[in-house]
Amino acid sequence: MPALGITSIEQVGTLLVRGLVSGLACYLAIRVTDGLFAQLAAAVFFTIVLAVPWELVDRLVGREPNDGE
């Protein structure tokens, strides 16, 4: 990636999906559980459950995982 911070559309899409997954996981955690620690655990669980299909699609299509570069 250039030093000026110009990103490709694919990287923007990946960041958008990760943001949406994180937001949805937090929303589901708040709706499902009561306590703070249970909400944190549920948020981690929902993030893993929602992020795994995205990573599988990336691997099946043959795209390289976004390594932050």
Side-chain angles (χ1 to χ4, degrees), residues 10-11 14 18 54-55 57-68:
E10 184 175 323
Q11 289 175 337
T14 300
R18 285 182 181 179
W54 181 257
E55 294 297 326
V57 168
D58 279 345
R59 291 181 188 269
L60 289 175
V61 172
R63 291 184 284 182
E64 291 294 323
N66 186 8
D67 59 0

Side-chain angles (χ1 to χ4, degrees), residues 26-43 46:
C26 290
Y27 172 76
L28 289 173
I30 290 170
R31 298 288 292 169
V32 171
T33 61
D34 289 345
L36 176 66
F37 293 114
Q39 288 175 350
L40 289 173
F46 286 129

